[in-house]
């Protein structure tokens, strides 16, 4: 397995993934902006606003918002999102473009914020039939982070007692029935997107699918 990247390297990956996503979004039609994403009930435009919110909110503002919303993280996320949603998709995109280079984050877990843009990027791309995937370096970092703890997603719990093996990169972790596939499919499954289990193979897939 490759070495863990430095924080500066991780932020460079975040910038690259945000920039690539912004370029793809520029070509969307009005109907596509309104498509439902893989992230719950949110539309494509709402997911983009959520990404902007995350890149605009430091630790103190994040905690104040959580407390004001009585630790209801769903309501917290919805209100943060609403504050960064433009009056048009074009304005929402411009707000996202403005934070492409931001290193503001609610915590110092930089790999988690790389995971935010990687996962939400695929939440947008898959329903729209967009085929770009993040770099293998970026997805390998996110896979290691998700597998190591339950933080922004319950990755460690989802894969307990399973062996995950990437078919396109160095990521491999765990012992037990094997779940194999591309690193991005493994990431998205750990993030709770069950549709990506269709892209995986091995005796552990049904166990993983049942957990998410």
């Amino acid at each position: 397995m490759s070495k863990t990247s430095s924080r500066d390297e991780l932020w460079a990956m975040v910038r690259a993934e945000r920039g690539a996503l912004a370029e793809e979004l520029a070509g969307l039609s009005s109907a596509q902006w309104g498509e439902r994403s893989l992230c719950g009930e949110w539309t494509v435009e709402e997911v983009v606003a959520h990404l902007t919110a995350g890149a605009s909110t430091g630790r103190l503002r994040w905690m104040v918002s959580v407390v004001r919303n009585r630790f209801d993280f769903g309501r917290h996320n919805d209100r943060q999102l609403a504050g960064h949603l433009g009056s048009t998709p074009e304005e929402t995109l411009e707000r996202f473009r403005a934070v492409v280079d931001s290193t503001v984050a609610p915590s110092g877990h930089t790999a988690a914020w790389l995971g935010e843009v990687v996962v939400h990027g695929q939440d947008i791309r898959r329903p729209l039939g967009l085929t770009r995937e993040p770099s293998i370096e970026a997805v390998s970092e996110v896979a290691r982070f998700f597998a190591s703890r339950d933080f922004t997603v319950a990755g460690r719990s989802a894969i307990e007692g399973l062996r995950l093996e990437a078919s396109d990169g160095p990521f491999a972790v765990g012992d037990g029935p094997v779940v194999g596939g591309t690193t991005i499919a493994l990431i998205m499954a750990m993030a709770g997107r069950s549709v990506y289990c269709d892209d995986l193979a091995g005796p552990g897939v049904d166990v993983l699918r049942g957990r998410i």
Side-chain angles (χ1 to χ4, degrees):
M1 186 175 292
S2 61
K3 71 177 182 68
T4 301
S5 299
S6 68
R7 180 165 292 181
D8 286 346
E9 289 170 330
L10 289 171
W11 277 122
M13 293 178 198
V14 172
R15 289 192 293 272
E17 293 307 320
R18 286 176 182 160
L21 180 58
E23 290 305 309
E24 289 177 288
L25 293 169
L28 299 189
S29 67
S30 296
Q32 287 175 310
W33 279 102
E35 285 279 346
R36 183 174 171 179
S37 74
L38 295 184
C39 191
E41 298 296 322
W42 287 350
T43 65
V44 167
E45 186 176 4
E46 288 169 333
V47 172
V48 175
H50 170 72
L51 286 171
T52 304
S56 307
T57 307
R59 298 184 191 189
L60 179 58
R61 286 181 61 194
W62 183 88
M63 183 54 69
V64 168
S65 174
V66 168
V67 171
R68 284 178 176 171
N69 287 288
R70 299 181 180 181
F71 294 89
D72 182 332
F73 288 96
R75 186 165 64 176
H76 155 79
N77 280 329
D78 285 342
R79 289 185 173 179
Q80 291 284 95
L81 176 163
H84 292 85
L85 196 65
S87 58
T88 65
E90 291 76 18
E91 185 177 354
T92 300
L93 176 56
E94 284 309 305
R95 292 181 178 187
F96 179 59
R97 285 188 185 278
V99 299
V100 164
D101 294 330
S102 172
T103 56
V104 174
S107 80
H109 300 86
T110 311
W113 312 122
L114 175 59
E116 276 277 289
V117 68
V118 166
V119 169
H120 288 317
Q122 298 308 115
D123 283 341
I124 290 168
R125 291 184 180 107
R126 183 136 178 164
L128 296 179
L130 302 176
T131 59
R132 182 190 179 276
E133 292 186 357
S135 71
I136 193 62
E137 292 80 12
V139 292
S140 295
E141 290 291 347
V142 174
R144 283 193 287 268
F145 185 82
F146 283 0
S148 69
R149 70 195 73 194
D150 293 340
F151 184 53
T152 51
V153 302
R156 184 171 64 181
S157 294
I159 66 170
E160 185 176 0
L162 298 173
R163 170 73 177 173
L164 270 60
E165 296 180 352
S167 59
D168 59 347
F171 175 69
V173 68
D175 295 296
V178 171
V179 178
T182 63
T183 314
I184 192 66
L186 293 170
I187 283 173
M188 296 301 288
M190 283 190 278
R193 277 56 170 181
S194 59
V195 66
Y196 274 86
C197 289
D198 295 341
D199 299 348
L200 301 173
V205 172
D206 286 343
V207 175
L208 179 59
R209 190 192 302 272
R211 291 175 179 174
I212 63 176

